[in-house]
Amino acid sequence: PAFKRRVQRFIHRNLCVMSEICDYYGANTYLDKGLERIAFFRRNSNLDIFLIHLVRDGRGQAYSRKKRGADMRTAARQLTKFDERVERLRRIIGNSHYVLLRYEDFCAEPKKQLQRIAEVIGINPANFPPSARMEDMHMLGNPMRLSFDGSIKLDEDWRYALSPEDIAVFQKLAGRRNRRYGYTQ
């Protein structure tokens, strides 16, 4: 019972914050990247929740983690565990409320991908800001918040930075994950 009360307080506080933010911006849709919060909200609120699963070639994601100090083995395992958690949540939420978004597709055609997401979620993409200006962004905790210039660019530095040994470790631990999301090379 004590845990259930704590969960209800947590949900109530989060819903209040979300409501205030939406009121401030005149919005009725809130985007949250907290996977654990999404699971809590799904079970304990009346919110209409959609899951947008942003995937990237895992070698790029692993390289990003490697730059922050992880070894390839750890990075590949973390990536596959995260995607497994997303897939479990997808089964709970249902395919009608799930969107798979590939990073590379978004970088190539951001407007088209945003249109696709808007159609699934049921929001009007005409209300999207015409540009991604820094003053329109709230990317708390994201290092990009300090340098984002509004442009969307594909980052494939991993192709040149990862060693053949790193690629082999990745393929062994996360190659199947990569293929599942359409990354075959």
Side-chain angles (χ1 to χ4, degrees):
F3 178 72
K4 188 173 183 178
R5 282 191 301 274
R6 281 198 330 249
V7 168
Q8 291 305 321
R9 281 194 307 269
F10 167 83
I11 290 169
H12 176 73
R13 267 193 307 267
N14 277 264
L15 291 173
C16 288
V17 169
M18 291 163 51
S19 178
E20 287 294 319
I21 291 169
C22 285
D23 287 349
Y24 179 83
Y25 285 105
N28 61 7
T29 303
Y30 183 87
L31 182 65
D32 190 339
K33 68 177 190 171
L35 199 55
E36 288 76 18
R37 276 191 302 276
I38 294 168
F40 272 119
F41 290 140
R42 178 69 180 135
R43 287 189 295 251
N44 298 289
S45 75
N46 295 327
L47 295 176
D48 194 16
I49 295 175
F50 292 83
L51 181 61
I52 302 169
H53 186 186
L54 177 63
V55 298
R56 178 181 182 190
D57 187 311
R59 296 165 290 192
Q61 283 181 267
Y63 174 61
S64 180
R65 291 175 187 195
K66 210 173 165 233
K67 288 191 299 187
R68 292 185 302 242
D71 60 90
M72 180 55 75
R73 187 173 304 283
T74 301
R77 284 188 179 137
Q78 288 174 340
L79 176 61
T80 56
K81 285 188 186 305
F82 176 81
D83 286 328
E84 288 167 3
R85 289 176 32 227
V86 172
E87 290 295 332
R88 279 194 300 274
L89 190 54
R90 174 188 183 180
R91 287 191 293 275
I92 293 167
I93 287 178
N95 287 335
S96 66
H97 281 63
Y98 173 84
V99 178
L100 177 66
L101 174 62
R102 288 171 33 117
Y103 161 82
E104 294 81 2
D105 297 339
F106 182 75
C107 288
E109 300 178 296
K111 288 183 181 181
K112 179 181 176 184
Q113 296 304 317
L114 287 173
Q115 173 72 37
R116 186 173 67 86
I117 292 167
E119 287 172 8
V120 172
I121 294 175
I123 60 176
N124 184 353
N127 295 331
F128 291 163
S131 68
R133 298 173 310 166
M134 194 61 211
E135 51 272 7
D136 295 332
M137 299 290 129
H138 177 75
M139 299 183 287
L140 187 63
N142 186 322
M144 243 177 42
R145 74 189 181 283
L146 303 173
S147 62
F148 184 62
D149 66 2
S151 61
I152 298 171
K153 298 174 241 154
L154 181 65
D155 177 358
E156 291 192 316
D157 289 349
W158 64 268
R159 290 187 183 274
Y160 313 103
L162 291 178
S163 70
E165 294 80 17
D166 283 336
I167 297 290
V169 169
F170 178 85
Q171 290 299 82
K172 180 179 178 186
L173 298 173
R176 194 166 116 206
R177 175 262 180 211
N178 246 22
R179 289 186 295 279
R180 180 178 343 131
Y181 297 119
Y183 300 102
T184 57
Q185 304 175 21

